[in-house]
Amino acid sequence: MSTVLIVVALVLVFAAIVAAVLYAGPGKSGGRRGRGLKRRFGPEYERTVALHDGDTKAAERELNERVERHGDLRVRPLAPEAREQYVALWAGLQERFVDTPHQAVAEAELLIARLAQDRGFPEATAYEQQLDALSVHHAHHVEGFRNVHRAARVTSAGDAQGAHTEELREAMLDARGLFEALVAEDGDHRRHAQRRPARQGETRTRTQTAWPKGSGA
């Protein structure tokens, strides 16, 4: 009888150890995944958690889904002449912002969307898909795209008040970070995607508004 009790006790102890390991394992793995997502998404991680009312598991599930859908995306190179035209177009938008801020913001959204498409992201007409893909590869800049999109929607809605000029200016400045990351030389693409852009003085160059040749427009 004592031998049977000892065996039973050993079995129970072993089962308890196995259960503890199984319970702790996923938690540690989940913790590592969470830390990895925080590093990868930065402010986008905090924003997603807030949208899920603090539910980190739900937020991380959403971010993981984005990575699964868009993590393997390979950024296409941008021809030097197309890069120069995009830079000139953006400079023109910054100049026209002084006289027509609402129109400049609307055109800035279209310009970034087309540039993203040229670099291999989802089509410019698929805003949500493009936004998700950009958040995976340019998490520190994607909020600027949201801001300029939101400002453009307010403008196109015919709101008598519309967005204030200062709000539009902030949207343009925020969006410029993503533009610079997308238009960067291929060797600088990954490094630029992981840092926040410094807000510099706006370039004043007048140019004709046209889509770059070979941009797929």
Side-chain angles (χ1 to χ4, degrees):
M1 180 64 69
S2 60
T3 301
V4 172
L5 291 175
I6 292 174
V7 171
V8 171
L10 290 174
V11 170
L12 292 175
V13 170
F14 179 76
I17 293 174
V18 171
V21 170
L22 292 175
Y23 178 78
K28 292 180 179 179
S29 176
R32 286 193 294 271
R33 284 196 299 269
R35 289 192 293 274
L37 289 171
K38 282 184 178 181
R39 286 193 298 271
R40 178 166 194 162
F41 284 95
E44 183 69 7
Y45 179 94
E46 302 300 334
R47 178 185 180 277
T48 307
V49 171
L51 287 177
H52 285 277
D53 297 324
D55 187 342
T56 56
K57 289 185 178 180
E60 290 173 3
R61 188 160 50 245
E62 177 185 330
L63 294 175
N64 274 317
E65 289 173 356
R66 292 191 209 175
V67 173
E68 290 175 3
R69 288 195 303 270
H70 305 292
D72 293 334
L73 183 149
R74 292 292 177 265
V75 178
R76 291 198 297 257
L78 195 64
E81 58 271 21
R83 176 176 290 108
E84 291 175 3
Q85 289 182 47
Y86 272 117
V87 171
L89 287 170
W90 186 266
L93 289 178
Q94 291 185 147
E95 180 178 0
R96 289 197 299 280
F97 180 88
V98 176
D99 298 320
T100 57
H102 292 85
Q103 182 180 348
V105 166
E107 291 182 14
E109 183 200 5
L110 295 176
L111 184 67
I112 292 174
R114 190 55 57 91
L115 172 58
Q117 178 179 323
D118 281 359
R119 301 234 63 179
F121 290 89
E123 293 184 1
T125 54
Y127 169 73
E128 294 295 341
Q129 294 179 32
Q130 194 178 70
L131 184 69
D132 283 353
L134 287 169
S135 74
V136 172
H137 296 271
H138 293 283
H140 290 277
H141 302 285
V142 73
E143 187 64 18
F145 191 37
R146 285 196 187 94
N147 291 341
V148 79
H149 174 80
R150 188 181 305 114
R153 296 289 78 72
V154 171
T155 300
S156 63
D159 187 348
Q161 291 287 332
H164 294 298
T165 301
E166 180 60 23
E167 294 173 351
L168 295 171
R169 187 183 71 85
E170 288 293 328
M172 283 287 288
L173 289 173
D174 291 341
R176 187 174 64 186
L178 179 59
F179 172 83
E180 291 177 347
L182 287 170
V183 84
E185 295 286 346
D186 295 330
D188 296 334
H189 173 78
R190 184 176 298 275
R191 174 176 57 80
H192 202 304
Q194 297 301 323
R195 67 179 178 84
R196 289 183 176 275
R199 292 184 174 178
Q200 303 172 350
E202 295 181 352
T203 303
R204 294 299 181 89
T205 303
R206 187 171 296 279
T207 184
Q208 180 181 1
T209 301
W211 294 115
K213 295 181 180 179
S215 69

